[in-house]
Amino acid sequence: DAGVTQSPTHLIKTRGQHVTLRCSPISGHKSVSWYQQVLGQGPQFIFQYYEKEERGRGNFPDRFSARQFPNYSSELNVNALLLGDSALYLCASSLGLLEAFFGQGTRLTVV
Amino acid sequence: EDQVTQSPEALRLQEGESSSLNCSYTVSGLRGLFWYRQDPGKGPEFLFTLYSAGEEKEKERLKATLTKKESFLHITAPKPEDSATYLCAVQDEDKLTFGGGTRVLVKP
């Protein structure tokens, strides 16, 4: 079975630009969550979507937004990129709201 | 606010040298405590979920236990391939709150 897939795997952006990260959950999973992991730290919660509705939002600025599509895939958008947005962005899917399985992440570098 | 603290931050072990990792937590309504393994540059790999104090789970050389305030991940007779960062997380409502992780290096 395919796990959680994220794209792209790596990308480099310039300060002030916009970025869109994509996630496809495990087949049958209806919940998708996004996390930011800065080097050397644990992941920080950004958003959770369940059945296409936002269920939770972490302590991130409004430059961060997300949505979930009818097929349960999801996009994370970040506007006006800052150097501090450089991180590994992780997507997790779960059946319901419990055990979360993570993708390999998207490594974003802002220069 | 939920808090998760993992100790030690880093652990160097000789192959075969058993040890334990600690995860202390404060959460208003614990729905589950999770352990993940993370290799450099990769996403976290799910290991265990514990739901109530006294619960234990095992997988190969790993054993996780849970009390009301902390969880332990015991590594028995580790091998070099057990080298990784081990992350602990608690679930409260809709999110996971992670600790900073313990970086484990097992030398042959």
Side-chain angles (χ1 to χ4, degrees):
Chain A
D1 285 342
V4 179
T5 57
Q6 293 187 241
S7 62
T9 54
H10 298 83
L11 74 166
I12 300 174
K13 290 286 189 179
T14 303
R15 279 178 296 176
Q17 285 188 316
H18 163 271
V19 68
T20 298
L21 311 181
R22 295 178 174 83
C23 172
S24 292
I26 294 170
S27 178
H29 285 194
K30 299 180 179 180
S31 176
V32 170
S33 300
W34 287 95
Y35 291 80
Q36 180 196 66
Q37 187 175 25
V38 174
L39 197 61
Q41 298 181 17
Q44 297 290 316
F45 173 74
I46 309 176
F47 287 107
Q48 188 196 47
Y49 278 79
Y50 179 70
E51 285 281 18
K52 292 155 283 184
E53 291 191 2
E54 183 182 302
R55 287 292 303 262
R57 174 186 285 254
N59 189 23
F60 281 80
D62 291 343
R63 299 184 296 107
F64 289 76
S65 64
R67 56 180 175 169
Q68 187 176 32
F69 298 100
N71 65 354
Y72 302 109
S73 67
S74 178
E75 282 183 354
L76 176 69
N77 294 283
V78 186
N79 292 323
L81 285 166
L82 304 174
L83 295 179
D85 295 330
S86 296
L88 181 67
Y89 287 84
L90 296 163
C91 173
S93 79
S94 57
L95 188 63
L97 299 173
L98 293 178
E99 298 170 359
F101 296 88
F102 285 83
Q104 293 302 289
T106 294
R107 170 69 63 188
L108 172 64
T109 302
V110 182
V111 297
Chain B
E1 186 174 316
D2 302 343
Q3 287 193 322
V4 180
T5 303
Q6 292 188 245
S7 62
E9 290 186 2
L11 191 59
R12 296 167 70 100
L13 301 171
Q14 287 297 130
E15 185 173 1
E17 178 187 2
S18 300
S19 189
S20 294
L21 283 54
N22 177 265
C23 171
S24 299
Y25 64 90
T26 304
V27 62
S28 55
L30 181 68
R31 298 182 65 187
L33 184 139
F34 300 82
W35 283 97
Y36 290 88
R37 168 194 170 123
Q38 187 174 30
D39 293 305
K42 302 271 183 82
E45 174 189 346
F46 173 78
L47 293 174
F48 304 109
T49 308
L50 302 167
Y51 293 104
S52 57
E55 190 174 359
E56 299 182 352
K57 288 192 176 175
E58 289 188 66
K59 179 181 179 179
E60 295 181 357
R61 295 177 292 283
L62 301 177
K63 179 180 177 179
T65 62
L66 180 65
T67 72
K68 287 187 177 180
K69 293 187 176 182
E70 56 190 352
S71 178
F72 293 92
L73 183 66
H74 308 277
I75 309 178
T76 302
K79 298 181 177 182
E81 53 262 42
D82 295 321
S83 297
T85 295
Y86 291 87
L87 295 165
C88 167
V90 295
Q91 182 168 22
D92 179 14
E93 296 298 330
D94 304 322
K95 69 181 189 295
L96 292 175
T97 300
F98 282 85
T102 295
R103 296 185 306 278
V104 175
L105 176 63
V106 182
K107 291 193 158 187

